[in-house]
Amino acid sequence: MGQGLWRIARNQQLQQQGYSGQGYLPRERGRRIPANSVSNTSHRKQAQGGIDIYHLLKTRKSKEQEGFINLEMLPPELSFTILSYLNATDLCLASCVWQDLANDELLWQGLCKSTWGHCSIYNKNPPLGFSFRKLYMQLDEGSLTFNANPDEGVNYFMSKGILDDSPKEIAKFIFCTRTLNWKKLRIYLDERRDVLDDLVTLHNFRNQFLPNALREFFRHIHAPEERGEYLETLITKFSHRFCACNPDLMRELGLSPDAVYVLCYSLILLSIDLTSPHVKNKMSKREFIRNTRRAAQNISEDFVGHLYDNIYLIGHVAA
């Protein structure tokens, strides 16, 4: 209570003695308030902290009176640009206020194609009553179904006319979609080798360094957690595709698909050796060069050394 009385007395002293030539009262920390606002302080707290609270409430009240900018008053191009940054949930909420704007087909079309880059229905004449907003809901429903059961998910897309029953179309859909569960996708590709073949051919490894190309490959087609026939199949398909994309480099280095296959296995084993905390004695560069050249004798020592440096500096090829 004594501290509160001291603050009241202090404020009264500032009001009586603190007038300056410019009509301002000095405040703590070098801040000033207009002198003509002193008469309005009778309905506020006289404590010094009460003035700050008053200004905060006053500012908040003024902002509430101003409200949000009405997007319908802006040019349509600007309004659509603002709404294009929203996701599907926020766009549905915005449609409660700006129904004509938030339900615009261009917005939902962009939302569909940014999440699912390829669908067979994109290249067809839309049927009567077609809506990209409805398509988004179907794509989202199909993706959730795929993540629970891949076969049922693909059948759902086909039943809605979103995908054609073609391995190439399914491969393009998988290649351009990032909402599919990678574990379920791995199971599906292991069963559908025809889709896997078309998915591999969608990769372009031209002028890429071998470890970087292998990382890109495993970002789209995740490697299994254990060695086995499926991993061997993936590496074999990658090796042939890498050689097909870089014929001049293969001739220059004297590499064949079998040699690339050996290098890929060596890179995977080296990645595990260098990144695993359970391996105490890490493989040295000299050991890696010796072991790799023992399996593929035509490979130059400098090239194998560059492979080791890439894994050592960048990390795992199949993380």
Side-chain angles (χ1 to χ4, degrees), residues 257-284:
D258 292 337
V260 175
Y261 178 92
V262 172
L263 290 177
C264 290
Y265 248 116
S266 300
L267 290 173
I268 293 175
L269 296 177
L270 177 64
S271 299
I272 297 173
D273 186 275
L274 294 182
T275 59
S276 176
H278 304 291
V279 180
K280 295 183 179 180
N281 299 322
K282 305 295 184 182
M283 184 183 299
S284 66

Side-chain angles (χ1 to χ4, degrees), residues 133-151:
R133 180 173 181 174
K134 181 180 178 181
L135 177 63
Y136 183 95
M137 305 306 173
Q138 293 175 341
L139 286 168
D140 188 57
E141 179 68 21
S143 297
L144 293 175
T145 305
F146 184 97
N147 293 337
N149 188 310
D151 291 327

